Amino acid sequence: MIGEATARVRDELSEQRLTAARFRVLVAIVLVTLGLLGWRFGHLQLGAHEQYAARAEENRIRLRALPPNRGLILDRTGRVLAENRPAYRLVVVPERSLGLDDTLERIRALVPISESEEQRFDRQRSRSRRFEPLTIKSNLSEAEVARLAIERHHLPGVEIEPYLQRHYPHGELMAHVVGYVGRMDARDRARLDPDQYRATTHVGKIGVERHFEGVLHGDSGLERVETNAQGRVLRVLERVSPHAGSDLSLTIDLELQRTAIEALQQQAGAVVLLDVATGEVLALVSHPGFDPNLFVHGIAQSDYDQLLRDPQRPLFNRFLSGGYEPGSTIKPFLALAGLEYGLITPETRVFSSGAYRLPGHEREYRDWRREGHGWVDLELALAESVNVYFYELAVELGIDRISRELALFGFGRATGLDLPGEGQGLLPTRSWKRAQFGQPWFPGETVITGIGQGFTVVTPLQLAHATAALAGRGVTATPSLLGPGEPVRMVVHQDWVWDAVFEGMAAVVHGPSGSARAIASRLPARMAGKTGTAQVFGRDADAEDEDERDQAELPEHLRNHALFIGFAPFEAPTIAVAVVVEHGGGGASVAAPVAAAVVARALELGY
Amino acid sequence: MNAPSLNRRGLWSILRLDPVLLALLLALMAIGLMVLYSASEQDIGTVWRQLVRIGVGLMAMLVFAQLPPNFLKTWAPWLYGLVVLMLVAVAVIGVGRGAQRWLDLGVIRFQPSEAMKLALPIMIAALLAHRPLPPGWKELLATLALIAVPVALILGQPDLGTSILVALSGLCILFLAGLRWRVIIGMALATVAALPLLWFRLHDYQRNRVLTFLDPERDPLGTGWNIIQSKIAVGSGGLTGKGWTEGSQSHLEFLPEPHTDFIFSVLAEEFGFVGVIAVLALYAAILLRGLFLASRCRGSFGRLLAGSMVFMFFVYLAVNVGMVSGVLPVVGVPLPLVSYGGTSAATLLAGLGLVMGLHSRRRFMA
């Protein structure tokens, strides 16, 4: 009993000592652990504070670029050619959605999603972060917006987002001039300032949209926003508003543009109408056009294929990059050179028997009228487009003087119109021939150059520009879409030289036997002009003799191109025009009426 | 003469509470509510709800302080057995998303693993106090068996954090009971040796957490996100912090669960190193006071049980703060008496109630 008691007491005491020791160890563990944790916090909060503070700042501050509104494009009277229309797109924030595949599946049941939209979505998806919105479908229709709005509560993370979409209200009427914007691609990103284009999705691809990209785009804005981990914006800390791009007023008159296209009807061709004094482009048509709106949100492959397959090649810009033989429209320029060099006078007469033969050569170069025109002076030679007259003149001038004269009028080089992709045409010279073919220039080539055949290639724009220089007696400005240019003297000739050629060109329209006399009645004022025909079938110098009746019997795609140049009013020319109608047959019957319609309308409008 | 002071002391004796520890706890919980207000996006409703839970916890503390040691010792096996049964029930009919941790009792949802944090130490303390200390091999094996059963059940829920806490509370008693150092070292080495085995027993997400802990940048948007963002919050707090309710990390939702497991990050971000040290000092005071009270309990049962209760509080603190500062893997352990949530607060306060109650009985039994 006592032993037991003492044993218990001893036990209790030793147990107390034992546990007390263990408690001391526990206290040490507690203090050391808390000390280590405190040291850890000191390391994080004092030692590495700056690093973590920077990371916290990065975390919450995000720079968000704001796209500027693109400038409008207007015609010279203020009619809108390119505008920004509110549209809606469907976006999804992956993180807030119930899985992207599931979400996409549900959306497919509500709105059709094309293959290209699907591909674009997949591309975005692979490189974006989970809190960044992805576009599923752009340009939703009103019905689609309504359907989606109803189902929205079943689609977390999916939003209908308003944005501005480029729209071209006049469709194909202005397509080749205004061009269009399209989705930015890698090449666009390479050439454009990445800072300015951070928030931009569409950039000018062709036409004015492309050439004046810098003016139209404007300056991106910037928002410093505080976001949460999901990327949701909580607070805007700082905002630099975007500067909208400048509006562009083109020199084009939409009404003249429409007049030209209506006059062309179903025919493929080009019409260029210039202000002689200022170089302003009043009408600039490549027909047929296409609907540029198709390209804004990514053209469907089937639509694109259809455009490519169209034999009239609607995507081809004829006035800018189309190359045509000038045909007889070259004749006034040769006449100027002949007069200037003293090889002919206005009274010089040449006998046209229906064919021309180079001295010592067998080959005959025929006139377009088989029986010939008889004795003709310069006025009649221009009015009736007598080939033999210009064969002889060309041979007397020689290729060097012809090249020099044509170069003065701007043939063979781009005019410098403010559009991308202008063609240069081709002005043949002796040295060009040598470089190109390793051959000397042959006399026969000079002969056909006299009637605008052979190697010479012009664009309708060049032809119009040269015509403006002609109308301005050697003075005109570079063609421009943005306003008056500085007039430049391109060619120097004596006044009587100009007068003589002008008389002949007036006779083309107003003379009793003028090749374009049919249009005279449609004009409110006197006009000077020149018809031309460019060969398509049979690239051979004799083809000019095929008259228009023969042409009508050919299949259309083999018919010659019809050309016409002109300026009006005759007494004090203000406007110059060039028309090319592809496979139109003869310049007189097809191209001249188009020019007459446009010129008549322009004169009525007071140009 | 000094009757009033006697009366005051008498009041605390009747309540069986320790005024010093209680004051420290109330101070901590007051700070906790303040941080919670900020961490919950200044939602006063959340603060009210937490206040109610603290009230319930304080009631539990008061109740547990009244339980006599002999009553606890007597009922320990029944209590232990009941909670094990509930854990089995959880495995069979439990509810919860992903992890099955709750018993739906209609009115309330009850988490038996929480109850085990009290039941197991009581059981082991009762077992060890029954025999002379230090425990021999038989006691050691019996204790390990008592630990293994609930730990296995809780691991199966799965709840790695709680199972570790439960295991540690049991092992702590063995340690306090004077288990020989070579046995302790031997067990530690055995544990290290068994780690690879444990590795294959872990769930994928648990393995991921450990891997991520070793290299947070491994999965910066997934499981590593928490650790990275928490460290950013802590580090960006600096010496004096960003100011109350001014923490950008927590308010911008970079921090997951800023009002529960990661509330210490909010505190560190908003009050800086100064605030961290102040709160750690407060915790240190609580722990030291608790250990002081526990060490002065009469009888080995009281000392062992009270000591393990304080130790559990310490483990909560160390694991949570270690996790938040990136020195421990992310396991869902709340910051004691600060994190939002009622269960852990109730368990911890009940445990400290046991400490105070056991301590209050020392002189009457002397």
Side-chain angles (χ1 to χ4, degrees), chain A residues 187-402:
Chain A
R187 271 185 307 175
D188 295 322
R189 286 186 198 284
R191 78 189 158 90
L192 297 167
D193 177 2
D195 281 343
Q196 284 299 326
Y197 281 81
R198 266 169 72 157
T200 305
T201 58
H202 284 68
V203 295
K205 294 287 187 179
I206 64 164
V208 165
E209 290 275 35
R210 162 93 184 220
H211 191 81
F212 293 102
E213 176 62 40
V215 180
L216 291 165
H217 180 261
D219 295 322
S220 275
L222 207 60
E223 252 179 7
R224 270 159 49 83
V225 293
E226 192 176 74
T227 62
N228 65 10
Q230 279 75 48
R232 184 150 30 102
V233 173
L234 300 180
R235 206 150 50 112
V236 176
L237 302 173
E238 189 191 340
R239 188 188 152 95
V240 180
S241 295
H243 278 284
S246 303
D247 293 350
L248 271 188
S249 286
L250 302 186
T251 55
I252 301 277
D253 187 315
L254 188 64
E255 196 178 335
L256 293 177
Q257 193 83 0
R258 185 173 285 130
T259 305
I261 284 174
E262 281 168 4
L264 280 168
Q265 297 170 314
Q266 303 302 313
Q267 306 167 106
V271 178
V272 182
L273 184 66
L274 298 175
D275 184 303
V276 171
T278 63
E280 289 174 55
V281 182
L282 300 173
L284 195 53
V285 168
S286 176
H287 189 68
F290 56 93
D291 183 1
N293 294 305
L294 289 176
F295 288 84
V296 174
H297 38 271
I299 188 165
Q301 193 62 45
S302 60
D303 288 338
Y304 193 59
D305 288 344
Q306 198 181 329
L307 286 172
L308 286 179
R309 274 198 304 267
D310 190 327
Q312 286 202 314
R313 297 202 290 163
L315 294 177
F316 181 56
N317 188 331
R318 295 177 160 81
F319 62 73
L320 201 62
S321 34
Y324 305 91
E325 286 187 350
S328 298
T329 59
I330 206 80
K331 288 173 181 170
F333 302 96
L334 257 78
L336 283 168
L339 294 166
E340 186 63 24
Y341 288 114
L343 302 175
I344 53 169
T345 68
E347 290 76 34
T348 303
R349 284 151 65 91
V350 168
F351 187 79
S352 160
S353 63
Y356 171 80
R357 201 181 301 167
L358 269 173
H361 286 72
E362 278 300 304
R363 167 133 189 212
E364 276 197 342
Y365 298 92
R366 277 186 272 171
D367 215 320
W368 65 268
R369 191 183 283 171
R370 283 166 212 264
E371 66 277 21
H373 299 262
W375 287 101
V376 293
D377 61 4
L378 178 60
E379 185 178 315
L380 205 59
L382 284 170
E384 296 185 7
S385 201
V386 179
N387 283 357
V388 170
Y389 187 98
F390 289 95
Y391 290 145
E392 276 188 23
L393 179 56
V395 171
E396 284 185 45
L397 277 166
I399 187 60
D400 298 327
R401 288 195 284 198
I402 293 173

Side-chain angles (χ1 to χ4, degrees), chain B residues 54-74:
Chain B
I54 286 172
V56 171
L58 288 170
M59 295 298 289
M61 181 170 83
L62 191 60
V63 169
F64 273 75
Q66 314 312 315
L67 300 176
N70 285 330
F71 169 84
L72 288 169
K73 265 196 270 191
T74 310

Side-chain angles (χ1 to χ4, degrees), chain A residues 15-16 18-19 22-23 25 33-34 38 40-42 44-45 49 52 55-56 59-60 226 228-230 234, chain B residues 132-133 175-176 178-179 228-229 231 234-236 238 248-249 252-254 264 268 273 276 303 314 321 325 327:
Chain A
E15 282 178 15
Q16 210 150 19
L18 184 62
T19 51
R22 289 297 161 99
F23 270 105
V25 174
T33 305
L34 290 183
R40 167 71 177 168
F41 276 84
L44 287 175
Q45 300 194 286
H49 168 61
Y52 284 115
R55 287 187 69 175
N59 247 346
R60 54 186 274 259
E226 192 176 74
N228 65 10
Q230 279 75 48
L234 300 180
Chain B
L133 301 183
F175 171 77
L176 286 176
L179 193 65
I228 294 170
Q229 295 300 333
K231 278 162 74 178
V234 171
S236 66
S248 64
Q249 280 292 108
L252 302 177
E253 296 173 34
F254 283 104
F264 200 76
F273 187 60
V276 166
R303 288 200 300 281
F314 163 71
V321 175
S325 58
V327 294

Side-chain angles (χ1 to χ4, degrees), chain B residues 11 21 59 62 75 77 79 84 90 150 153 172 196 199 203 229 243 260 289 295 320 327 332 353 359:
Chain B
L11 172 70
L21 184 55
M59 295 298 289
L62 191 60
W75 287 95
L79 181 64
V84 167
V90 164
L153 285 168
C172 170
W199 178 253
H203 288 256
Q229 295 300 333
T260 57
R289 180 68 185 175
S295 69
N320 180 272
V327 294
H359 174 257

Side-chain angles (χ1 to χ4, degrees), chain B residues 21 49 55 68 73 77 86 99 144 147 163 165 197 203 227 238 316 336:
Chain B
L21 184 55
R49 281 193 294 279
K73 265 196 270 191
M86 286 196 292
L144 290 180
I147 293 172
S163 58
L165 284 175
L197 212 71
H203 288 256
I227 295 175
Y316 264 90

